[in-house]
């Protein structure tokens, strides 16, 4: 039985508890049976099912949802992550990919794209990283030059989730209004736009649709720009501010599943004539794992609650949640593998798949070391004389 006692915490309203319980029941039926051998087809199917049954409505405003609710996003990612990493990925990328449109798109852009992403009729992607600029967003080189009533994009993006299967990409490019971060803008680029090609499909240890994109004389109308010229960095950071907390929530889902599997193993596996759970060393491992899970959950739902209560930015809280939850999940899952012995490294076992799934979360949307920089700078900004 999955532990849901945390749903009684004061961070949540009755609607959050109801959503988590319903999604858990839905995922138990709709996620496990999807064949992950063809990862592109699996993601398309998951997006279609999530949209068909109304879960993607939480990834963008509309139909009674006036804004993104971060607690809802976090609970969805945690619940789906508990059941299958690819299901979490399919849900999350609909939110992140459409996030700039949700937060900064004009009425026409929102009307054109958000009903499709919410219904699972259009797959979204967030195209920010480049070969020479991952966490250093200000160093983006992909350029967009104005040409009459259009912009022409040239350059590359890499490690783009949903690359190769997306129907729309939100692309961040240099428009040159000012040096560095102040000279970037965001554009909506449909997947079939001439001049946009899939230069390379990228294979990773936990299969997901990933690609390197190439833009060569890729023309989009000026109306494809999200927000104003030069606002790209602000748009990217505001989007990550919302969704970075939910990366921690996905890791929390993985960790909860690892703890559940480890406890079940300890209770049923015998060693030297008694269950593993009777060994004090095993009890110590389980206690450490439970502590890591609850500590991560508290940081995640604090960040989500603060944002939902109206905070303009939660950069520090989100960085803490993402950093701690992903690092803690790695430790919890590693312990679960150890407690499973040889089964823990057997291909296809749940803890083996969790071990592969968790590693990337410590990198994407800001690697752990980058989160430490963010947190430290926040502390120093509040320290008299630290900036002198």
């Amino acid at each position: 039985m999955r532990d849901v006692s945390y749903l009684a915490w004061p961070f949540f309203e009755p609607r959050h508890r109801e959503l988590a319980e319903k999604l858990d029941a839905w995922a138990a039926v709709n996620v496990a049976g999807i064949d992950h051998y063809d990862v592109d087809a699996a993601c398309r199917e998951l997006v279609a099912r999530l949209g068909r049954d109304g879960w993607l409505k939480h990834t963008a405003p509309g139909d009674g949802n006036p804004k993104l609710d971060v607690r809802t996003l976090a609970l969805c990612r945690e619940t789906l992550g508990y059941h299958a990493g690819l299901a979490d990925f399919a849900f999350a990328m609909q939110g992140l990919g459409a996030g700039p449109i949700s937060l900064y798109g004009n009425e026409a852009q929102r009307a054109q794209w958000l009903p499709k992403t919410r219904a699972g009729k259009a797959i979204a992607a967030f195209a920010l990283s480049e070969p020479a600029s991952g966490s250093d967003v200000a160093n983006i080189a992909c350029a967009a030059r104005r040409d009459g009533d259009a912009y022409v994009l040239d350059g590359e993006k890499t490690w783009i989730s949903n690359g190769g299967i997306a129907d729309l990409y939100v692309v961040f490019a240099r428009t040159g209004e000012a040096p560095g971060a102040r000279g970037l803008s965001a554009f909506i680029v449909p997947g079939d736009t001439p001049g946009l090609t899939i230069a390379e499909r990228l294979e990773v240890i936990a299969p997901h649709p990933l690609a390197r994109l190439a833009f060569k004389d890729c023309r989009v109308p000026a109306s494809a720009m999200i927000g104003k010229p030069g606002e790209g960095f602000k748009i990217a950071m505001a989007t990550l501010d919302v969704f970075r907390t939910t990366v921690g929530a996905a890791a929390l889902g993985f960790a909860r599943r690892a703890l559940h599997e480890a406890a079940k193993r300890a209770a049923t596996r015998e060693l030297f004539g008694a269950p593993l759970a009777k060994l004090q060393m095993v009890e110590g491992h389980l206690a450490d794992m439970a502590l890591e899970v609850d500590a991560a959950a508290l940081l995640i739902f604090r960040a989500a609650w603060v944002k939902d209560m109206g905070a303009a930015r939660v950069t520090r809280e989100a960085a803490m949640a993402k950093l701690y939850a992903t690092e803690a999940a790695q430790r919890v899952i590693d312990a679960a593998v150890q407690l499973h012995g040889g089964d823990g490294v057997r291909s296809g076992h749940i803890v083996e798949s969790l071990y592969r799934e968790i590693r990337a979360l410590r990198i994407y949307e800001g690697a752990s070391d980058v989160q430490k920089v963010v947190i430290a700078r926040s502390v120093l900004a509040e320290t008299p004389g630290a900036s002198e």
Side-chain angles (χ1 to χ4, degrees):
M1 178 67 70
R2 192 166 85 95
D3 177 24
V4 294
S5 59
Y6 67 101
L7 292 174
W9 291 354
F11 296 116
F12 304 113
E13 301 169 22
R15 61 187 175 91
H16 294 115
R17 301 181 184 99
E18 181 181 2
L19 175 139
E21 291 166 2
K22 287 184 176 179
L23 181 56
D24 185 45
W26 180 90
V29 173
N30 287 274
V31 168
I34 292 180
D35 183 4
H36 290 191
Y37 180 77
D38 182 340
V39 70
D40 288 1
C43 274
R44 289 189 179 100
E45 178 63 21
L46 284 164
V47 169
R49 291 189 186 188
L50 287 163
R52 176 198 68 195
D53 294 337
W55 300 111
L56 292 180
K57 70 181 182 181
H58 302 295
T59 63
D63 293 340
N65 293 336
K67 64 177 182 177
L68 291 168
D69 185 86
V70 186
R71 286 169 295 173
T72 294
L73 291 169
L75 285 170
C76 286
R77 291 202 65 179
E78 180 198 346
T79 303
L80 291 169
Y82 181 92
H83 288 275
L86 204 59
D88 161 66
F89 173 91
F91 175 88
M93 284 313 304
Q94 289 299 95
L96 180 63
I101 304 173
S102 298
L103 296 172
Y104 288 94
N106 59 38
E107 187 174 339
Q109 291 167 341
R110 289 159 65 97
Q112 179 181 1
W113 289 109
L114 296 187
K116 296 177 183 177
T117 63
R118 287 161 50 88
K121 302 295 186 183
I123 294 177
F126 185 81
L128 182 65
S129 295
E130 296 184 7
S133 65
S135 296
D136 185 9
V137 176
N139 197 36
I140 279 177
C142 181
R145 59 179 174 84
R146 186 69 186 252
D147 184 19
D149 60 354
Y151 280 89
V152 180
L153 278 65
D154 288 285
E156 287 191 356
K157 296 291 177 179
T158 194
W159 300 114
I160 305 307
S161 296
N162 280 341
I165 68 170
D167 299 292
L168 74 145
Y169 297 87
V170 173
V171 180
F172 296 85
R174 184 162 299 284
T175 44
E177 289 74 21
R182 293 177 295 170
L184 305 176
S185 299
F187 299 89
I188 300 170
V189 182
D192 59 359
T193 304
L196 164 59
T197 58
I198 307 303
E200 180 185 10
R201 292 300 300 267
L202 305 172
E203 300 293 331
V204 291
I205 57 175
H208 296 82
L210 289 166
R212 177 168 60 90
L213 313 179
F215 299 87
K216 184 174 177 58
D217 295 327
C218 180
R219 180 179 291 268
V220 295
S223 60
M225 180 181 284
I226 302 172
K228 298 176 182 178
E231 289 189 337
F233 183 83
K234 178 181 77 171
I235 292 169
M237 293 303 102
T239 303
L240 293 174
D241 215 34
V242 169
F243 287 94
R244 187 166 281 151
T245 297
T246 76
V247 178
L252 177 62
F254 296 166
R256 284 198 195 280
R257 182 61 181 270
L259 175 57
H260 172 79
E261 296 296 330
K264 184 169 63 174
R265 173 82 171 192
T268 58
R269 177 78 170 187
E270 289 200 353
L271 185 67
F272 307 128
L276 277 176
K278 294 296 184 180
L279 298 176
Q280 285 188 335
M281 187 175 294
V282 173
E283 290 179 326
H285 286 311
L286 292 173
D288 288 341
M289 295 163 77
L291 178 62
E292 298 262 44
V293 165
D294 272 17
L298 286 164
L299 284 169
I300 290 161
F301 294 116
R302 177 192 70 160
W305 180 84
V306 170
K307 184 64 177 176
D308 287 343
M309 292 302 102
R313 298 296 301 271
V314 290
T315 303
R316 175 173 172 170
E317 293 90 341
M320 286 182 169
K322 199 266 187 186
L323 170 64
Y324 187 84
T326 55
E327 295 290 334
Q330 183 81 66
R331 294 188 291 268
V332 169
I333 293 167
D334 186 73
V337 170
Q338 196 72 14
L339 288 172
H340 277 78
D343 283 341
V345 293
R346 179 167 52 85
S347 180
H349 195 285
I350 181 62
V351 295
E352 181 269 343
S353 66
L354 288 168
Y355 192 82
R356 290 184 290 104
E357 288 280 1
I358 188 54
R359 191 59 187 84
L361 273 67
R362 295 166 60 202
I363 297 172
Y364 72 69
E365 290 193 39
S368 291
D369 288 338
V370 173
Q371 302 308 320
K372 290 179 182 180
V373 172
V374 171
I375 295 164
R377 288 180 178 175
S378 173
V379 171
L380 290 171
E382 299 170 359
T383 303
S387 61
E388 296 177 359

